[in-house]
Amino acid sequence: MNPLHPKKLLLTKWTAVAPVARQKHFLVSKVIVPELPGQALEQVEIEAVHSKASRRIDWRELRDPSKWRQGWV
């Protein structure tokens, strides 16, 4: 897998290996900036393409090929 950088995740497309609430395709809609300057980015908000439902996840979860695939597969 290509290396991921948290600051470049905005608007990237992801496919869940196991559908979440019958949703499979997601888009990173927001990168959650930490409150204190100098802290590392920890979370992103992903939005389901069809239902527009969103949830926050740790951006490192996107590196796990057993959970996520980059792009819409």
Side-chain angles (χ1 to χ4, degrees), residues 1-17 24-31 42-47 55-71:
M1 175 179 239
N2 295 333
L4 291 176
H5 194 278
K7 291 184 180 180
K8 296 190 179 200
L9 285 174
L10 188 61
L11 300 179
T12 56
K13 300 170 184 172
W14 296 89
T15 300
V17 172
K24 189 172 184 173
H25 298 109
F26 294 86
L27 181 75
V28 175
S29 60
K30 187 187 291 185
V31 175
E42 293 293 326
Q43 293 187 329
V44 294
E45 188 170 287
I46 58 171
E47 180 179 309
R55 64 186 179 115
R56 288 185 180 187
I57 64 168
D58 186 338
W59 74 268
R60 289 174 189 86
E61 284 184 37
L62 297 172
R63 289 182 176 175
D64 186 355
S66 68
K67 294 182 181 180
W68 296 99
R69 297 217 171 115
Q70 195 166 12

